[in-house]
Amino acid sequence: MPDPNAAINLPLAYRDHSRHWQNNLYVYPVISRRSKGLSIGVNLNPDKACNFDCIYCQVDRSTPGPAGGVEISALVAELDALLDAAADLSLFRAPPFDALPADQRIVRDIALSGDGEPTTYPQFDEAIDAIAKVKKRHGLDAAKIVLITDACYLTRPHVKRGLAIMDRNNGEIWAKLDAGTEEYYRLVNRPNYPLRHVIENIIDAARARPVVIQSLWMKVHGSPPGEGEVAAFCDRLGEIVAAGGQIKLVQVYTIARQTAESYATALDSAALERIGAIVQTTARLPVETYAGVG
């Protein structure tokens, strides 16, 4: 039977986003506060390919990922098995999943995240199509397919094909935007592309469907972001909307796990709430804040 005290461990469960489950190569379960429950992760980047090298990243990039691509048939088999385990409740017999309250023991989404940028996978559209078919086979119409992305490749043809499949299958883009200025963007994301490229890609995607903006704020060498940086971030959101982009939500959150650079540390709840309030008031967009959780 589930531990009656398990619910008190839920905040710790939010911090455990291990990308390893049993012997799986690609598919793993996590408890996500931003997803509001059980999220099934899909890792299209065991190779750790990414357009950013964020100072707050939890992926260990000191060692290379395994060579070779993603075997979609194996991914499908893993996803089938994990969705079966969620449906028959066997997934919830052991930590950390036994911490979920009974009313949250459902699949909220299938999220493409993992060890890098999902859209760098050359067969991104084929993977989305396979995932959508598995979701439909399991009767999970209400569950989303979530793309967690650095937004650098959203205009590439294979990605746009995948996004169109997502649109037909309750898909949602969570586009990364952590800065308002080029200087701060380069400090925290250490990117391969300029900030303008990211903004233009978000605009293109958000003209076709509403998107979620995910924005992580932190202390860098002990200092929180300045008021000017937060104001510039609001300006970038305004640019997206003015250009015809649809933003359904801005997620404002902070560090919850070990980071690539020790000088990147979490903001306290009060500081995070202040940023969220500024964004909501200035950009006039819905905002949710998440202190120290994923």
Side-chain angles (χ1 to χ4, degrees):
M1 294 181 64
D3 178 356
N5 297 314
I8 65 174
N9 297 320
L10 194 53
L12 294 178
Y14 286 136
R15 290 174 169 81
D16 181 5
H17 279 201
S18 170
R19 293 176 174 89
H20 302 285
W21 187 72
Q22 296 187 351
N23 295 316
N24 283 7
L25 297 175
Y26 311 114
V27 181
Y28 56 95
V30 298
I31 299 173
S32 170
R33 188 173 177 186
R34 287 191 287 155
S35 294
K36 299 177 175 64
L38 180 65
S39 176
I40 305 300
V42 175
N43 185 5
L44 295 182
N45 299 103
D47 59 1
K48 303 182 183 180
C50 198
N51 294 308
F52 290 177
D53 181 21
C54 299
I55 61 175
Y56 60 78
C57 186
Q58 71 182 86
V59 177
D60 180 6
R61 301 192 182 280
S62 63
T63 57
V70 174
E71 186 179 341
I72 292 181
S73 61
L75 186 158
V76 166
E78 291 180 6
L79 184 56
D80 266 323
L82 187 46
L83 293 177
D84 282 341
D88 68 18
L89 303 182
S90 60
L91 176 63
F92 305 105
R93 293 174 187 160
F97 306 102
D98 59 343
L100 268 177
D103 62 350
Q104 293 185 31
R105 295 185 176 193
I106 57 174
V107 176
R108 299 293 190 190
D109 61 46
I110 300 171
L112 290 97
S113 179
D115 291 330
E117 170 51 43
T119 60
T120 63
Y121 177 52
Q123 284 76 50
F124 174 80
D125 52 339
E126 296 176 26
I128 293 293
D129 184 60
I131 290 166
K133 288 175 179 174
V134 174
K135 187 171 87 80
K136 184 176 182 179
R137 187 162 64 245
H138 284 261
L140 295 172
D141 293 343
K144 296 176 182 178
I145 299 177
V146 173
L147 170 63
I148 299 176
T149 178
D150 61 29
C152 290
Y153 282 8
L154 292 179
T155 58
R156 296 200 173 193
H158 75 293
V159 177
K160 297 193 85 165
R161 289 193 298 270
L163 296 181
I165 297 168
M166 287 176 57
D167 290 340
R168 298 191 295 269
N169 290 276
N170 199 20
E172 189 168 83
I173 299 170
W174 291 9
K176 170 61 59 179
L177 187 62
D178 293 330
T181 65
E182 184 74 23
E183 180 182 9
Y184 192 72
Y185 165 69
R186 292 197 172 276
L187 174 67
V188 300
N189 294 133
R190 299 189 295 201
N192 294 335
Y193 292 88
L195 180 58
R196 175 50 45 191
H197 176 87
V198 173
I199 297 296
E200 290 173 354
N201 271 253
I202 294 175
I203 289 171
D204 185 85
R207 282 173 173 162
R209 82 282 291 164
V211 304
V212 173
I213 299 295
Q214 45 159 345
S215 188
L216 189 146
W217 298 88
M218 76 207 89
K219 293 179 183 177
V220 180
H221 296 294
S223 298
E227 291 182 5
E229 188 59 42
V230 178
F233 173 77
C234 294
D235 289 343
R236 301 293 81 73
L237 296 177
E239 282 184 32
I240 294 168
V241 173
Q246 306 162 78
I247 298 176
K248 67 182 298 183
L249 177 68
V250 181
Q251 297 175 341
V252 175
Y253 63 113
T254 192
I255 289 166
R257 289 168 284 278
Q258 183 174 350
T259 58
E261 304 294 351
S262 60
Y263 58 78
T265 56
L267 288 177
D268 61 49
S269 297
L272 198 70
E273 291 291 342
R274 281 195 296 273
I275 292 173
I278 291 169
V279 173
Q280 188 168 35
T281 301
T282 306
R284 297 184 179 182
L285 292 167
V287 174
E288 292 181 357
T289 58
Y290 309 87
V293 295

